[in-house]
Amino acid sequence: MAAAAGAWPARALRALFLMACVGLAGCQSSKMGDALDTAGSNISALGNSTYGSGPVTVTMLLPTDAGLRKKAADIADGAKLALDDLGAGQLTIDFQAFSSTSGQAASKVQAATASGSKLIIGPATNGEVSSIISGTSQPRPPILALVANNSAGGSNIWPLYGDAIDSALEGVGVAVAAKQKNIVVVHEAGFPAENLLRLREGIKLKGGNTIGFVPYPVSGINLQAAFAKGKVVFSKANTIVLLGGGEAIGQVIDILAAGEFGQSIATAIATSLIPEEIYKRPSAQGLMVAIPSTSSVGVISDRFKAKFGRSPSYDAAIGYDSIAIAAGLVRSGGPDAITVANLTSSQGFRAATGLFRFRADGRIERRMIVHRIENGSLTVIQEEGDGF
C-alpha cells in the first residue's frame, strides 16, 4: 500500500469505497435514527393531522423533539408531495406526532392497527422501535421505520435509511469480486460491537474472510502504535475496511496511505462516517466513493420548492419514497396490496432515494453509484445499475 507523493496508488484503490453524504440539503448521519438535528430546534413541532381523503390509511409516526423537528417536517412534506403526485385519490396519511421519549410509540402502533391502517411509517428513533417490538404483537401493519440499518430488527419492521456498514459491505462485494477476499477491519475504539458483528457476517455472506480487527484511539493519539499492534493482521490481508469519521480519520488515512502498514493490501474500503472535506486531502486522491443514487430527487425538486419554499433534503426524499411505495402497491394491486410479500419483492423499488429493497431479515439494501476522488471532487466510474 505504499503511496506515491502522499496519495494512494491507483493499483491499491480498485475498491475503496467512501459513502459520502447524499448532498441534497444536508448530510445523512450514520446513526440517522437517533441523530439530533440541532438546526431544527427553532422549527414548530408538528401536530396530529391528516392529509388526503383516500380509503387506504397510512399512519406516519413523527417526533416532536426540538432536535428532530426539521427531520420530521421534511419527512412530512415529502410524504404530502408523494400523495399529491402518486396517490390517485387512494390514500390518506394520518400524521401522529409525539416526543420520542414519551413512551407512546407502542400505543400509537396499536391504535393504528385497530383503526385499519395498512402501513406504518416511523418512528424515528431506535429506542422507539425497540419499544414497539416489546410492546406490540402480530397482527399489525408492516412498519417502515425512520431509522438506519443498525437498529434492532423486529418482525415485519424495516429501516428506511442505510448506514456505514452497508457502505462498507458494498465495497466488500467489489473487493471479493476482484479476488481480494482477505479483509482487515480498522475501526475506532468503542465502535458498536453489534455493527462490527454485522460487518463480519456480511463479509462472510459476500464470500470474504475477516482476518481480524484493528482498533485505533478516537483521540488520534499514538495511532502509529495502535497500527503497529495490528502489523501481523495487516500482513495477512489484501483488503482493508476503514470505519470511523471523527477528528482522527484524516491522520488514519495519511498513515495508511503512506504504506508503512499493510504492504500486501491492494483494496481499501471506507464508509459514510468519513467527512467530505477529507476528499481534499492529498492522501485521499484516487480513492473511490460509493453514494446512494439521488438522481431522481431532481424529478421532485421543482415541485417540492414550489409547494414548500425550500429544496428537498434527504429526509424529504425518504418521506416521499415511503408514500410512493404505498401508492404504487395500492394502484397496482388494490387496497389490500400493502403486504409483507409485496414489500419484500426481490425486484425492490426505484424512487427518489435510488434503488432499494426490503430483505426478509429486516434490513434495507440500497444500491450505490461508484465515484473516484480526483482533484478533490467525485467522478462517476460505475452507475447504480438496473436492479439487484
Side-chain angles (χ1 to χ4, degrees):
M1 222 170 35
W8 298 73
R11 68 172 183 82
L13 299 171
R14 289 193 294 271
L16 175 61
F17 275 62
L18 307 165
M19 179 171 171
C21 295
V22 171
L24 302 177
C27 292
Q28 174 182 199
S29 168
S30 64
K31 299 180 180 178
M32 196 62 177
D34 287 325
L36 295 181
D37 179 4
T38 55
S41 59
N42 60 353
I43 296 176
S44 298
L46 295 177
N48 295 342
S49 64
T50 60
Y51 192 80
S53 57
V56 176
T57 298
V58 174
T59 300
M60 186 165 274
L61 309 180
L62 294 174
T64 58
D65 312 52
L68 291 171
R69 288 176 187 173
K70 183 180 184 301
K71 176 179 179 177
D74 285 354
I75 290 170
D77 288 347
K80 291 175 183 178
L81 183 64
L83 188 143
D84 291 345
D85 288 349
L86 306 169
Q90 297 299 304
L91 298 182
T92 294
I93 306 174
D94 179 17
F95 291 106
Q96 293 291 311
F98 52 95
S99 168
S100 65
T101 60
S102 66
Q104 297 183 60
S107 62
K108 292 290 187 180
V109 168
Q110 292 168 343
T113 302
S115 68
S117 181
K118 298 295 186 180
L119 178 69
I120 295 172
I121 300 165
T125 68
N126 289 326
E128 291 175 297
V129 172
S130 296
S131 72
I132 290 171
I133 294 170
S134 62
T136 66
S137 60
Q138 301 289 358
R140 65 174 178 238
I143 297 174
L144 304 182
L146 297 163
V147 298
N149 247 348
N150 61 352
S151 63
S155 179
N156 298 345
I157 300 176
W158 296 270
L160 279 164
Y161 292 86
D163 73 350
I165 300 303
D166 301 314
S167 150
L169 289 174
E170 185 86 351
V172 166
V174 176
V176 170
K179 309 301 183 183
Q180 306 294 327
K181 299 182 178 182
N182 295 323
I183 298 166
V184 56
V185 178
V186 174
H187 63 90
E188 292 176 332
F191 199 87
E194 172 195 355
N195 287 346
L196 293 178
L197 176 61
R198 181 155 64 91
L199 178 59
R200 180 192 286 272
E201 292 174 345
I203 288 172
K204 183 177 181 180
L205 288 174
K206 295 284 188 181
N209 176 36
T210 304
I211 299 298
F213 294 85
V214 179
Y216 65 87
V218 177
S219 65
I221 298 173
N222 295 326
L223 288 175
Q224 292 276 358
F227 294 139
K229 292 179 180 179
K231 197 164 187 177
V232 173
V233 175
F234 282 125
S235 68
K236 297 178 180 179
N238 48 33
T239 292
I240 184 171
V241 170
L242 177 61
L243 301 177
E247 294 183 3
I249 195 62
Q251 300 176 60
V252 169
I253 291 177
D254 288 344
I255 292 170
L256 295 178
E260 181 179 348
F261 305 100
Q263 293 293 328
S264 61
I265 291 175
T267 300
I269 302 165
T271 76
S272 56
L273 297 177
I274 293 187
E276 287 189 51
E277 56 264 27
I278 293 296
Y279 301 166
K280 303 296 184 182
R281 297 180 80 97
S283 58
Q285 303 314 299
L287 305 182
M288 284 189 271
V289 181
I291 304 175
S293 172
T294 57
S295 59
S296 297
V297 173
V299 177
I300 70 170
S301 181
D302 289 344
R303 296 192 307 283
F304 190 94
K305 288 179 183 178
K307 187 175 181 67
F308 303 111
R310 65 187 190 280
S311 297
S313 67
Y314 189 79
D315 293 319
I318 288 286
Y320 188 97
D321 284 359
S322 65
I323 295 300
I325 292 167
L329 292 176
V330 170
R331 288 168 62 187
S332 63
D336 296 319
I338 304 176
T339 64
V340 171
N342 286 336
L343 286 171
T344 56
S345 166
S346 60
Q347 294 180 345
F349 304 89
R350 185 181 291 278
T353 57
L355 181 63
F356 58 90
R357 65 180 175 183
F358 301 110
R359 302 188 338 189
D361 64 359
R363 305 288 183 184
I364 190 171
E365 182 178 356
R366 290 187 174 275
R367 301 315 307 254
M368 301 179 188
I369 297 176
V370 183
H371 304 75
R372 187 185 302 280
I373 300 175
E374 296 178 348
N375 299 319
S377 61
L378 303 179
T379 300
V380 175
I381 60 174
Q382 179 177 296
E383 294 290 350
E384 179 185 37
D386 296 327
F388 289 95

